[in-house]
Amino acid sequence: MTLRTVVLGAGYSGLTAAKLAARWTDTEVTLINASDRFVERVRLHQLAAGQRLRDLPLRDLLKGTGVELVVDRVTEIDAAERTVRLERASQAAGYDILIYALGSQADLDSVPGVAEHAYSVIEPDRALRLRERVGEAEVIAVVGGGLTGIEAATELAETHPGLRVKLVTGGVLGGSLSERGRRYLRRTFHRLGIDVRESVRVAEVRADGLLLEGGEHIGADTVVWTTGFRVPHLAREAGFAVDGHGRMIVDETLRSTSHPEVYGIGDAAAIHRPDGQELRMACATGLPTAQQAVRALADRLSGREPRPLHFRYFNQCISLGRRDGLIQFVNADDSPRATVLTGRTAALYKEAIVRSTIIVQRHPVIPAGM
């Protein structure tokens, strides 16, 4: 009897895993995703700024692979019965092997008023709503000084030069960068006219801006929330071992520590390097770990001992609008090196990396990394 592999989620990790499972194993592979389109999540700040993104139907990306696509929303996983219940289907989907790749979402409940008043660039529909709003906005406050916040703020400021953009962060702007990288980032923000408030915490989001802890008000007619992520509750509710954030706990081969027939990849899994360092949520980790998880699965099915995860960081790629960028080269543990690449060359470098993620989706055996 042929084994059934079900992959949940068709983001960067899930789509790669489904195609590799179809190629490297003798199992029947089903990919379940709520949308029939592949989302280039690393480009959603461009969508919010008013640019058009290419249309990527999943059926086109899966053509000729033998993977069955089911467009539906997962509502429950029954680990005992090894079934997945769906929103619209009358029957549950059974599995022998489950690859859990449901990703992450913006955390819009961590601070009062975010869900009611803030916009996001984490999901396509939210990015489109922000794009519609930008045309009427005069002052935009971007909350969050991570890579998503930096890219959103610079994209909006470059595309809409008459718009006043503010960035508010609880840390230091570009805190993960080298000193040279931080200096370049500050010069770029100054050139684009972006105001920066560092080391402050938002207590509430209101229709007219932000209320900080301590009572200070930062005025803005539009707020973009880019800080904080959460994962679906499905793994916890199914009884899989999860960490305090609800991310699936996996071993050195990306297999669930509580359910050996389940593998966890991407943002929804707590993945660690051999030295114990937890990998950050990023496309840069999702693609290569998906490849390694399916390789481990294929090895087990063939009676071979799978190799443990091998992963190292290489760089952080940051777009600063369409004509500028910052590439921070890093050590294996993601700590910054002194070396950076900036300007137009960095922008072209970042664009090549982003385009390569689609090449990997079309040809998933190509080594991936960002």
Side-chain angles (χ1 to χ4, degrees):
M1 181 177 177
T2 304
L3 296 176
R4 300 162 298 174
T5 296
V6 171
V7 183
L8 304 184
Y12 293 101
S13 301
L15 180 58
T16 297
K19 296 178 78 168
L20 289 178
R23 178 176 294 199
W24 289 347
T25 75
D26 292 326
T27 66
E28 295 178 353
V29 181
T30 300
L31 175 61
I32 302 175
N33 195 59
S35 168
D36 66 348
R37 257 51 183 176
F38 178 77
V39 176
E40 288 189 278
R41 191 166 178 176
V42 295
R43 289 194 188 273
L44 290 181
H45 58 285
Q46 297 175 236
L47 181 64
Q51 298 160 37
R52 293 178 61 87
L53 302 186
R54 55 188 154 180
D55 184 38
L56 296 168
L58 285 171
R59 296 193 188 281
D60 289 353
L61 293 173
L62 291 170
K63 190 174 297 182
T65 64
V67 175
E68 179 187 2
L69 176 64
V70 174
V71 180
D72 208 337
R73 188 175 302 277
V74 179
T75 59
E76 184 183 357
I77 302 169
D78 188 326
E81 295 294 328
R82 297 191 182 183
T83 58
V84 177
R85 291 188 174 88
L86 305 175
E87 189 173 69
R88 295 188 296 273
S90 58
Q91 289 188 328
Y95 66 85
D96 299 295
I97 300 158
L98 183 70
I99 300 179
Y100 188 82
L102 287 175
S104 62
Q105 304 163 333
D107 185 358
L108 303 180
D109 298 319
S110 57
V111 172
V114 174
E116 295 82 4
H117 302 298
Y119 294 83
S120 169
V121 293
I122 303 302
E123 297 157 6
D125 57 338
R126 295 183 182 277
L128 285 170
R129 288 201 289 270
L130 175 57
R131 183 175 71 177
E132 294 171 358
R133 172 62 184 163
V134 167
E136 304 172 1
E138 295 181 1
V139 181
I140 289 185
V142 177
V143 181
L147 302 191
T148 303
I150 290 169
E151 293 192 327
T154 52
E155 199 77 48
L156 289 166
E158 180 190 80
T159 307
H160 304 277
L163 186 65
R164 185 180 177 191
V165 179
K166 304 176 182 180
L167 186 137
V168 180
T169 176
V172 175
L173 180 66
S176 65
L177 305 177
S178 64
E179 182 178 348
R180 184 180 173 191
R182 290 194 299 272
R183 286 201 306 267
Y184 187 82
L185 190 60
R186 290 185 183 280
R187 288 198 301 270
T188 302
F189 270 53
H190 178 73
R191 173 177 61 81
L192 292 171
I194 303 171
D195 298 327
V196 179
R197 286 295 307 275
E198 299 172 287
S199 303
V200 296
R201 298 187 66 83
V202 176
E204 183 181 355
V205 177
R206 297 177 173 176
D208 61 351
L210 308 171
L211 180 67
L212 304 182
E213 291 183 356
E216 181 184 354
H217 180 263
I218 295 180
D221 53 50
T222 305
V223 173
V224 182
W225 196 261
T226 70
T227 183
F229 296 88
R230 65 183 180 187
V231 299
H233 299 303
L234 290 166
R236 185 190 303 278
E237 293 169 351
F240 301 142
V242 297
D243 66 7
H245 301 288
R247 302 174 74 192
M248 182 180 291
I249 300 174
V250 296
D251 65 14
E252 67 278 3
T253 65
L254 292 307
R255 186 166 66 168
S256 167
T257 57
S258 61
H259 292 72
E261 73 280 2
V262 179
Y263 290 76
I265 56 177
D267 290 357
I271 303 172
H272 294 80
R273 284 166 27 103
D275 60 7
Q277 179 188 9
E278 184 173 306
L279 304 188
R280 56 182 165 88
M281 293 182 178
C283 175
T285 57
L287 287 169
T289 55
Q291 292 173 337
Q292 294 190 54
V294 180
R295 177 62 71 189
L297 169 61
D299 285 343
R300 284 194 172 96
L301 293 176
S302 299
R304 299 186 297 268
E305 184 67 24
R307 290 176 294 179
L309 173 69
H310 175 74
F311 182 90
R312 64 147 297 152
Y313 288 99
F314 180 64
N315 53 220
Q316 293 183 25
C317 301
I318 311 170
S319 64
L320 303 173
R322 294 300 85 208
R323 298 182 293 275
D324 196 359
L326 170 60
I327 310 301
Q328 174 67 67
F329 294 96
V330 300
N331 297 306
D333 64 356
D334 209 26
S335 59
R337 297 165 53 193
T339 308
V340 298
L341 183 67
T342 60
R344 179 63 174 168
T345 303
L348 294 172
Y349 184 111
K350 170 66 185 287
E351 178 63 22
I353 290 292
V354 173
R355 287 179 178 272
S356 75
T357 64
I358 303 303
I359 296 174
V360 170
Q361 297 301 344
R362 298 185 188 280
H363 308 283
V365 295
I366 297 175
M370 286 177 65

